[in-house]
Amino acid sequence: MPDESADPFRAIADPTRRRILELLMERRSLTVGELAAEFPELVTSGISKHLMTLRAAGLVVAVKAGRHQHYRIDDGGLEAAFGAWISTYESYWSSALTKLHDLSLDD
């Protein structure tokens, strides 16, 4: 049976984990405490569990700096997790955007 915690689609299905990814995209690197401050309704251990799921899915990495772990997006992990899936739909979106562009020129 495959490890469900390593599934990147399951990892991003949770709105808290999607928000964590957004914060890491915006700020590049955050500690658990800094992330916890963004979620006053959650305890720090809850944030840590979300980060463990994101790490297992290969979407974030942790770098130890002194007593703190600094989390950041794993660019290679995002590409590995979603690149093939996105490329499946790329021709559709390219075609749709070209059509939209052509329509806007007609106005």
Side-chain angles (χ1 to χ4, degrees), residues 66-94:
R67 297 181 321 172
H68 299 284
Q69 295 259 28
H70 290 263
Y71 289 87
R72 63 177 177 76
I73 297 289
D74 182 346
D75 296 332
L78 282 177
E79 175 64 29
F82 302 115
W85 183 79
I86 289 170
S87 69
T88 302
Y89 300 96
E90 188 174 17
S91 64
Y92 166 77
W93 285 110
S94 294

Side-chain angles (χ1 to χ4, degrees), residues 24-94:
L24 292 174
M25 290 268 204
E26 292 168 7
R27 300 190 195 154
R28 308 299 252 163
S29 173
L30 293 166
T31 65
V32 173
E34 290 168 335
L35 283 164
E38 297 290 330
F39 300 92
E41 71 281 4
L42 297 177
V43 295
T44 304
S45 62
I47 296 297
S48 292
K49 286 181 182 181
H50 284 298
L51 287 165
M52 286 184 345
T53 299
L54 291 169
R55 283 179 73 178
L59 302 177
V60 301
V61 293
V63 176
K64 190 155 179 80
R67 297 181 321 172
H68 299 284
Q69 295 259 28
H70 290 263
Y71 289 87
R72 63 177 177 76
I73 297 289
D74 182 346
D75 296 332
L78 282 177
E79 175 64 29
F82 302 115
W85 183 79
I86 289 170
S87 69
T88 302
Y89 300 96
E90 188 174 17
S91 64
Y92 166 77
W93 285 110
S94 294

Side-chain angles (χ1 to χ4, degrees), residues 9-27:
F9 288 97
R10 281 189 183 270
I12 65 168
D14 182 88
T16 300
R17 290 192 285 269
R18 286 194 309 270
R19 181 66 185 135
I20 289 171
L21 288 173
E22 289 170 5
L23 289 166
L24 292 174
M25 290 268 204
E26 292 168 7
R27 300 190 195 154

